[in-house]
Amino acid sequence: MTTIEQLERDVWLDPGPDATSLVRRCTELRRKPLAEFTVEDLRIMLGQGIGVPALLPRAVHILVRDPLAEGDYYPGDLLSNVLRLPDSAWSSLRAERKRLTSVLAELVSSPPFSDPDLKPRDPDRLLRDAIVRFLGR
């Protein structure tokens, strides 16, 4: 079973006792077989920009089927982290980006995202705005 550590050929030392829970979790996830990653695992690692080349295609595969796939926080939390990745993350994933773009264009034209009265801090509004920015890139 392949891990991020194996793919990157970079073994992280065990974090010390003063490490944050996020640092400990990311270190654990670098050692976890990619085939066992959950939506939450993908959300965490992509949100930290760790293992992006290996994990982004997996995330897109999930998001094409369920754009609002949910980790531990809210519907669309995985998508939210994927949309924050820099354009360079997509340089070798043109086909995946195209598939995701098609799904997201359809999503923003449907309720609740199509509601013109969404308030500025509404989670649906924030996600819709992030999708629109991604579509415009």
Side-chain angles (χ1 to χ4, degrees), residues 85-133:
L85 292 171
D87 286 338
S88 60
W90 296 95
S91 62
S92 64
L93 300 171
R94 287 190 178 96
E96 288 88 347
R97 184 178 179 138
K98 187 175 182 177
R99 283 198 309 273
L100 183 60
T101 297
S102 174
V103 168
L104 295 181
E106 196 173 307
L107 181 66
V108 294
S109 65
S110 65
F113 299 103
S114 61
D115 182 353
D117 296 325
L118 285 174
K119 305 294 182 249
R121 296 205 177 262
D122 185 297
D124 290 334
R125 168 76 182 266
L126 296 173
L127 188 54
R128 180 187 71 191
D129 291 350
I131 292 168
V132 168
R133 278 192 301 278

Side-chain angles (χ1 to χ4, degrees), residues 3 7 17 24 28 32 39 51 63 65 67 75 81 84 89 106 119 129 133 136:
T3 67
L7 288 174
R24 284 192 301 277
E28 291 168 9
K32 182 175 184 173
V39 170
L63 294 170
R65 289 191 328 254
N81 281 359
R84 286 191 199 107
E106 196 173 307
K119 305 294 182 249
D129 291 350
R133 278 192 301 278

Side-chain angles (χ1 to χ4, degrees), residues 42-104:
L42 291 168
R43 184 197 66 78
I44 290 169
M45 295 297 271
L46 291 171
Q48 295 302 309
I50 299 171
V52 173
L55 300 177
L56 184 53
R58 293 174 180 281
V60 170
H61 181 75
I62 291 167
L63 294 170
V64 165
R65 289 191 328 254
D66 180 7
L68 298 179
E70 183 175 352
D72 286 355
Y73 290 108
Y74 57 89
D77 59 4
L78 174 60
L79 176 61
S80 184
N81 281 359
V82 165
L83 296 176
R84 286 191 199 107
L85 292 171
D87 286 338
S88 60
W90 296 95
S91 62
S92 64
L93 300 171
R94 287 190 178 96
E96 288 88 347
R97 184 178 179 138
K98 187 175 182 177
R99 283 198 309 273
L100 183 60
T101 297
S102 174
V103 168
L104 295 181

Side-chain angles (χ1 to χ4, degrees), residues 12-25:
W12 287 10
L13 298 175
D14 287 330
D18 295 333
T20 65
S21 59
L22 179 60
V23 168
R24 284 192 301 277
R25 183 76 175 129

